[in-house]
Amino acid sequence: MKKTRAFLKWAGGKYSLVEAITAKLPKGRVLVEPFVGAGSVFLNTQYDAYLLADINPDLIDFYNLLKNSPEKIIRVAQSLFVANNNQQQAYYDLRDAFNLSSDPVDRAALFLFLNRHGYNGLCRYNRKGEFNVPFGKYKKPYFPEKELWFFAEKAQKATFICECYSNTFQRLEPDHVVYCDPPYVPLSSSANFTTYAAKGFSLDDQALLARLARHTAQERQVPVLISNHATALTYELYRGASLDEIQVKRTISRSAGNRNKVGELLALYLPGMVFDGG
């Protein structure tokens, strides 16, 4: 089956891992993603329905608009993808417009513009909640019309909600399957969790998610698959789950020469498994 790309550029996007993830995902009626991000797994699986959550309200608002009013949002967004806007000052003017706007359609269209014109497709906000990614200096940013329409059509099977991952776990039912793509742990022990804590995802959250996955499989009989960096910490956190490590290229680096392969860990929690402790 031909893979479908997400219309958003997204740090940590799962397009390159889709085959490995779908091979591990159990059967079920509804796929639940508490960290949906750009939605590569959603776009490349075939469940009857989807429950897709994220804590980023701009992302979820965009998805709901695209689901319900695709023609309007695509038309408005496309009007921004012109050569005159692909300049530094125009980018910063439109970034300011996004940060000041409360109009749902304008804000969504600008969100897509910033995603495709900003540095490395990053999505980052300052402490005031203002989008602050710098200009990306791309020759001709691609307008993903085909990908937007594909997403809009598939979104008819999906419910999009803006909430914390722990709340999404409370919604689970027996015919659900969960895939979690949380903010990853740092690759080196010298790194710290300040960047994750700033996004509301700390080392405690990493441990809580692992406990939730164990509890969900054991007590609620709902399978959970988690992806993360393969480190000593994640091997310990996911101890007792079915673990697969695969090598993938990192895609967050702007320089292709710096995109080294790193280990990714897929941890599968299945009903009936016996886990040590916790």
Side-chain angles (χ1 to χ4, degrees):
M1 190 178 82
K2 187 183 176 188
K3 285 201 296 184
T4 298
R5 282 194 180 274
F7 64 83
L8 291 171
K9 296 164 74 174
W10 206 254
K14 289 297 168 287
Y15 182 77
S16 64
L17 271 177
V18 157
E19 293 92 344
I21 291 168
T22 54
K24 294 269 294 184
L25 276 171
K27 288 183 170 60
R29 191 182 69 83
V30 180
L31 179 65
V32 180
E33 293 194 57
F35 309 88
V36 66
S40 287
V41 173
F42 156 61
L43 291 168
N44 290 283
T45 49
Q46 300 299 325
Y47 288 84
D48 292 341
Y50 295 85
L51 177 60
L52 306 173
D54 203 280
I55 58 166
N56 184 330
D58 290 318
L59 185 70
I60 297 301
D61 288 348
F62 192 114
Y63 289 166
N64 277 315
L65 271 170
L66 189 57
K67 174 184 176 179
N68 298 314
S69 307
E71 196 164 325
K72 184 175 187 180
I73 186 61
I74 291 171
R75 186 180 72 249
V76 176
Q78 190 165 22
S79 71
L80 298 172
F81 281 65
V82 294
N84 286 345
N85 285 341
N86 191 30
Q87 301 171 34
Q88 187 164 310
Q89 190 54 54
Y91 172 85
Y92 289 121
D93 288 345
L94 288 167
R95 192 180 74 175
D96 288 344
F98 171 80
N99 286 325
L100 292 169
S101 177
S102 57
D103 179 82
V105 174
D106 286 347
R107 194 169 171 88
L110 287 163
F111 183 75
L112 180 59
F113 169 85
L114 295 170
N115 174 263
R116 284 276 164 182
H117 291 73
Y119 181 79
N120 236 15
L122 293 174
C123 185
R124 190 184 66 196
Y125 303 81
N126 62 22
R127 288 183 179 179
K128 295 178 182 176
E130 297 167 334
F131 191 90
N132 66 352
V133 175
F135 182 52
K137 300 178 184 175
Y138 298 107
K139 240 179 197 175
K140 189 178 180 184
Y142 171 64
F143 182 70
E145 183 173 5
K146 182 183 68 164
E147 293 85 349
L148 284 160
W149 278 112
F150 185 93
F151 192 106
E153 186 176 341
K154 186 143 191 186
Q156 303 311 308
K157 289 184 169 185
T159 299
F160 300 99
I161 46 176
C162 183
E163 67 181 12
C164 172
Y165 69 97
S166 56
N167 291 344
T168 307
F169 268 85
Q170 293 175 20
R171 298 176 182 268
L172 297 179
E173 297 177 10
D175 57 356
H176 289 181
V177 174
V178 184
Y179 168 61
C180 293
D181 180 28
Y184 277 17
V185 301
L187 273 171
S188 68
S189 56
S190 60
N192 61 46
F193 275 85
T194 55
T195 54
Y196 291 88
K199 296 176 189 173
F201 212 86
S202 64
L203 179 53
D204 286 342
D205 279 299
Q206 299 283 357
L208 175 58
L209 178 60
R211 283 202 302 274
L212 272 172
R214 286 197 299 272
H215 171 82
T216 299
Q218 280 181 315
E219 305 298 327
R220 304 181 69 178
Q221 304 296 296
V222 173
V224 181
L225 179 64
I226 305 177
S227 56
N228 213 319
H229 279 144
T231 67
L233 174 61
T234 52
Y235 268 97
E236 177 62 25
L237 283 174
Y238 306 144
R239 187 177 72 250
S242 169
L243 300 176
D244 281 345
E245 182 175 340
I246 51 179
Q247 297 297 310
V248 297
K249 284 185 180 177
R250 298 183 74 187
T251 55
I252 189 59
S253 169
R254 190 182 175 93
S255 167
N258 292 332
R259 297 181 184 184
N260 301 323
K261 286 194 172 183
V262 296
E264 295 258 350
L265 196 59
L266 294 175
L268 179 61
Y269 296 83
L270 290 170
M273 279 183 168
V274 177
F275 303 100
D276 298 331

